[in-house]
């Protein structure tokens, strides 16, 4: 049994960033990962612009009681083309270009206006209420390859006048559940059967991470059928089997994998849930054999599969999101395996659920974090700082 | 100017849960919101099942050195139909049904086997290694309407043998940017023009929240064109305009809205960024007029628009996700408006960016939280506990 950190490194070593790129329009780019840097075509603001509605004039002339004659108007989209001279002011609106000659925008609440004359009032606010050209970014400013695009990134790219971006294609992740005990939801299970459930969670997780989860038909515990199904799974960019990787006589996945030329990176990790995990390559493709227990499958996918997806996409920070929380209740010592306890994090306080059986989907569905208890850790008191992984 | 909490309540009052439902298959249900409760068709596990690979036998007979004869085998999907009598054991694999008569599964590492006889070894582990029928959930167990479906929820629903779920339709949210200064990304802006950027962030945010953001063509600052565009926006489930809601002479949105019979709930909020915000109804539809500044638009959308989307979907907890963090640096007092500072949260420590101008998309794109500084708050030291909103 190897440790979690070592297993993480071995899994990531199975995957190379694809390097491929496809163009998508900004409106379709949310959550995608930049495959090439996106470069600003222009500065933002592209011109000195008013930060407030008011009057543009010369700062040096500004004094309470000073009078200026209004010689024009600069609106958003419709600038004023002349130069502001001494004693002159230009009516201006937020976002509009500040005319030449002016270096201060007096906000409209700080003046009185009669006809074309304005007079500066007392309690004059701070200036200059002008945004410098390029104050947000200069032309040539870039968002780097490997960046997963947030909503704010899309607005930033639009302001950069980048209409479409080159993003990494979504890796296809084949999800193959195995076992004679499984039927699909909506089918009529026999008395000894259960419903295949893991693949639905895994597909949603892969999709959220930027991949494309593909649920394959369930493979029965027959060597020929499993061999065909695993060969099919290896057509994808990342192949995943679920179940059949423990030590029972009916766990064929490892045997069939060997027959298909699987190169094993490791088998079994010192963690719970999730001990029986296979990683390697299958027909040259990155391959994970996840445990069949639903909670084990989801936890190991968070720790190992999603980082592989993110690495394939070319992202830099690929590990699960971790933070520090305070224990809401005392916990006992761990054994020889790192324990990922299903838990609720509420405003910085993490409380593990009482029932930690890896078969309990109802508990997993109530969890929003995993409390990470390192192997060999002693008992911990309520209030101690502990690491959690965000689900 | 009204306060943020009051504005939140007024915005939510504009929206009623739609109550509508559409059926989608589980593989398509990630992120959707249940419109009707989903009810388990069966218990999970549906039968007493083995938690480990081993031998099923009678607990009362268990002792170091005891010998049992193996009379059959229960595999996942293929149970053993008889009853386990005294001195008998059934070979069993994880997930398989435990035969009648047996109430303990001895793990295989705890026995030696010769032919059809097993002998219990010393250092016997804890039992009984049996999962009770219904131990995860009973038939009739339900996920309630209003629940936004997580990946783990999908696995849970599958295990409940729910093949498709009734979810709330996605509300269509029309996003109408206004202003002569705006052109779309990829177009050739005039010297006084900038690129429309807000709508791309807003669409991604709405989509993530479970709605369907629809970017309408930019409306120019002409009364007739704006009137047609706003009437078009009011065809959606929620209508949003961006820009044109401040006090400049060219801010037509309010005037055109009045002409279209807008019922105003409020105008202007004691917050920054985002003061000029209109909320109300337009042709009977919930309506928000967001500020034109990109950061203001995104911040007010987090506070007011997304909660309206979630209310429409029928979710219970609709407000932005908040948590408490520690200040990484001292901050000054606030003024008469609640300040939402763009900030980075790293492992519980929140540090606001130095530049807080609401025009800076490059700063917003680097933020992962908003530091909420209540109006009238005094200066705060590094290390003090403060509220943050997750972006």
């Amino acid at each position: 049994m190897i440790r979690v950190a070592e297993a993480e490194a071995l899994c990531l070593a199975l995957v190379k960033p694809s390097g491929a790129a496809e163009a998508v329009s900004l409106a379709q780019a949310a959550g995608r990962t930049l495959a090439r840097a996106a470069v600003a075509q222009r500065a933002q603001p592209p011109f000195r612009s008013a930060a407030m509605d008011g009057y543009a004039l010369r700062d040096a002339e500004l004094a309470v009681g000073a009078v200026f004659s209004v010689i024009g108007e600069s609106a958003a989209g419709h600038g004023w083309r002349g130069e502001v001279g001494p004693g002159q002011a230009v009516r201006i609106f937020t976002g509009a270009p500040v005319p030449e000659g002016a270096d201060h925008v007096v906000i409209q609440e700080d003046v009185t206006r009669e006809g074309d004359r304005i007079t500066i009032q007392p309690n004059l606010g701070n200036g200059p209420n002008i945004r410098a050209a390029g104050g947000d970014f200069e032309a040539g400013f870039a968002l780097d390859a490997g960046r997963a695009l947030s909503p704010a990134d899309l607005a930033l790219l639009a302001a950069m006048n980048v209409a479409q971006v080159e993003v990494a294609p979504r890796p296809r992740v084949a999800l193959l559940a195995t076992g004679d005990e499984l039927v699909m939801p909506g089918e009529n299970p026999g008395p000894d059967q259960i419903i295949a459930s893991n693949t639905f969670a895994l597909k949603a997780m892969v999709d959220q991470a930027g991949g494309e989860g593909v649920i394959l038909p369930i493979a029965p515990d027959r060597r020929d059928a499993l061999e065909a199904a695993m060969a099919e799974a290896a057509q994808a960019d990342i192949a995943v089997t679920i179940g059949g990787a423990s030590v029972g006589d009916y766990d064929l996945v490892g045997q069939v994998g060997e027959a298909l030329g699987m190169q094993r990176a490791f088998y079994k990790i010192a963690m719970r849930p999730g001990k029986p995990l296979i990683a390697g390559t299958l027909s040259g493709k990155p391959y994970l054999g996840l445990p069949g227990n639903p909670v084990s499958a989801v936890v190991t996918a968070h720790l190992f599969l999603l980082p592989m997806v993110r690495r394939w996409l070319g992202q830099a920070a690929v590990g699960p999101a971790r933070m520090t929380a305070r224990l809401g209740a005392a916990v006992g010592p761990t054994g020889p395996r790192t324990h990922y306890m299903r838990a609720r994090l509420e405003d910085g306080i993490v409380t593990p659920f009482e029932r930690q059986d890896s078969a309990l989907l109802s508990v997993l569905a109530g969890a929003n974090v995993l409390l990470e208890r390192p192997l060999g850790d002693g008992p911990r008191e309520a209030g101690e700082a502990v690491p959690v992984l965000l689900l």
Side-chain angles (χ1 to χ4, degrees), chain A:
Chain A
M1 289 202 297
I2 65 172
R3 296 196 179 200
V4 171
E6 190 185 347
E8 276 178 332
L10 288 169
C11 284
L12 287 178
L14 299 172
V15 181
K16 277 197 293 284
S18 81
E22 61 189 34
V24 297
S25 71
L26 272 195
Q28 307 304 322
R32 304 298 296 267
T33 301
L34 284 181
R36 310 279 180 262
V39 181
Q41 303 302 302
R42 62 194 322 236
Q44 174 65 18
F47 40 76
R48 289 192 310 153
S49 68
M52 302 290 280
D53 293 341
Y55 293 87
L57 43 71
R58 295 177 174 227
D59 183 79
E61 299 184 300
L62 200 54
V64 172
V67 175
F68 297 81
S69 73
V70 179
I71 57 165
E73 183 180 284
S74 180
H78 307 282
W80 186 78
R81 289 283 164 257
E83 181 174 347
V84 176
Q88 296 180 329
V90 163
R91 175 76 170 127
I92 195 166
F93 300 99
T94 304
V98 176
E100 279 182 49
D103 55 0
H104 195 117
V105 170
V106 181
I107 67 172
Q108 59 197 18
E109 289 81 356
D110 288 350
V111 307
T112 55
R113 179 166 178 170
E114 283 181 71
D116 282 345
R117 297 172 72 82
I118 58 168
T119 306
I120 308 298
Q121 298 300 300
N123 304 319
L124 187 61
N126 290 331
N129 300 317
I130 291 174
R131 297 188 170 117
D136 195 353
F137 53 81
E138 298 286 354
F141 168 80
L143 293 189
D144 291 335
R147 185 180 181 110
L149 296 175
S150 71
D153 286 344
L154 300 186
L156 179 55
L157 286 163
M160 290 159 66
N161 205 9
V162 172
Q164 60 176 28
V165 281
E166 300 280 316
V167 298
R170 299 181 194 275
R172 293 181 76 249
V173 179
L175 301 167
L176 175 63
T178 72
D180 285 346
E181 75 275 27
L182 300 178
V183 300
M184 289 296 275
E187 291 181 18
N188 222 340
D192 300 346
Q193 291 187 302
I194 60 172
I195 318 294
S197 57
N198 306 345
T199 42
F200 294 93
L202 296 173
K203 173 181 163 52
M205 291 162 61
V206 165
D207 291 354
Q208 265 182 19
E212 184 192 344
V214 180
I215 297 176
L216 298 184
I218 295 163
D221 286 325
R222 284 200 332 269
R223 187 176 284 268
D224 57 339
L226 190 56
E227 201 166 311
M230 287 179 69
E232 164 76 16
Q235 300 296 309
D237 298 305
I238 299 174
V240 177
T241 58
I242 304 105
S246 111
V247 292
D249 297 0
Y250 287 90
D251 289 331
L252 288 170
V253 161
Q255 300 163 38
V256 170
E258 307 268 310
L260 288 172
M262 183 199 301
Q263 301 292 313
R264 215 177 251 192
F266 64 82
Y267 170 47
K268 291 196 179 174
I269 308 186
M271 65 179 280
R272 67 179 175 127
K275 182 169 112 182
L277 182 90
I278 302 176
T281 58
L282 193 64
S283 306
K285 299 291 180 59
Y287 165 71
L288 279 186
L290 302 183
N293 248 327
V295 176
S296 305
V298 168
V299 169
T300 51
H302 271 289
L303 283 166
F304 307 109
L305 175 58
L306 299 189
M308 291 166 70
V309 170
R310 291 188 280 257
R311 166 66 57 90
W312 198 96
L313 288 165
Q315 294 179 19
V318 298
R322 276 185 170 79
M323 61 172 281
T324 303
R326 302 269 161 192
L327 272 175
V331 289
T334 59
R337 296 192 277 158
T338 296
H339 192 184
Y340 292 91
M341 304 182 79
R342 278 68 71 200
R344 283 297 297 181
L345 176 70
E346 305 284 359
D347 207 13
I349 308 295
V350 60
T351 309
F353 289 103
E354 201 165 318
R355 302 172 69 207
Q356 293 289 332
D357 184 326
S358 64
L360 301 179
L361 278 169
S362 56
V363 172
L364 179 68
N368 59 0
V369 292
L370 297 171
L371 167 57
E372 187 177 51
R373 305 285 327 278
L375 58 82
D377 199 28
R380 297 282 173 187
E381 299 300 321
E384 284 197 63
V386 289
V388 298
L389 274 61
L390 307 184
L391 289 178

